[in-house]
Amino acid sequence: MPANGVFLASYTNSGTITIGRGNSAGSPDKADLAIASDGAVTFGDNPISRYSSAINVQTGTSYTLQASDNGKVIELGNASAITLTVPSGLVAGFNCTLVQTGAGQVTLSASGTTLRHRNSHGKISGQWAVCSLYHRGSNELVFAGDTSL
């Protein structure tokens, strides 16, 4: 039987893997990390340290978001206007940060999706403006941040 404080992993029939400190009963006492069968990860109220986002730099005048952009910072930089297409099929919970690094204004274009903004904005406001995009399900995305009409 492991001593208290030893890290243990357990697996449930629902497909959740839990990693935590062991207790005298030989099972994780506190979940330090849990990975559900759907890929969702929880950290047991522990802080995340040494985390950084991957950066996807785009320098053309058009770009279509990809599933692989989930959690990334997308830098969009060109002297001319840029169209950022937001396609259908991104997973619920998809999120990314958008940064306009060039003078060309970034306009979001919905393709089989609905973009929501509290003021009906669809553009990033200018160079060095930062926005976020969050997929809330049913191909509906929320666009927020330093935006303009």
Side-chain angles (χ1 to χ4, degrees):
M1 185 162 306
N4 287 344
V6 172
F7 281 90
L8 298 170
S10 67
Y11 179 79
T12 65
N13 289 337
S14 65
T16 299
I17 299 171
T18 302
I19 301 171
R21 289 175 283 261
N23 61 23
S24 59
S27 61
D29 186 41
K30 179 182 184 314
D32 290 308
L33 175 69
I35 306 168
S37 59
D38 65 359
V41 178
T42 57
F43 295 93
D45 294 329
N46 294 304
I48 300 172
S49 64
R50 302 180 66 169
Y51 170 80
S52 62
S53 292
I55 300 171
N56 177 356
V57 176
Q58 294 295 317
T59 59
T61 57
S62 65
Y63 180 68
T64 299
L65 286 174
Q66 309 293 313
S68 60
D69 289 322
N70 193 9
K72 291 185 179 177
V73 174
I74 314 298
E75 289 189 352
L76 300 147
N78 196 298
S80 298
I82 301 167
T83 300
L84 176 66
T85 301
V86 182
S88 62
L90 299 173
V91 298
F94 174 94
N95 67 89
C96 63
T97 300
L98 307 171
V99 181
Q100 181 179 318
T101 60
Q105 188 170 38
V106 177
T107 300
L108 278 68
S109 173
S111 177
T113 56
T114 301
L115 296 176
R116 303 285 188 199
H117 185 280
R118 70 182 191 96
N119 292 318
S120 301
H121 290 181
K123 297 179 180 182
I124 298 177
S125 66
Q127 190 170 19
W128 304 117
V130 177
C131 298
S132 63
L133 196 59
Y134 156 68
H135 189 297
R136 59 185 309 267
S138 300
N139 284 315
E140 183 177 59
L141 293 98
V142 177
F143 177 52
D146 194 354
T147 63
S148 68
L149 284 171

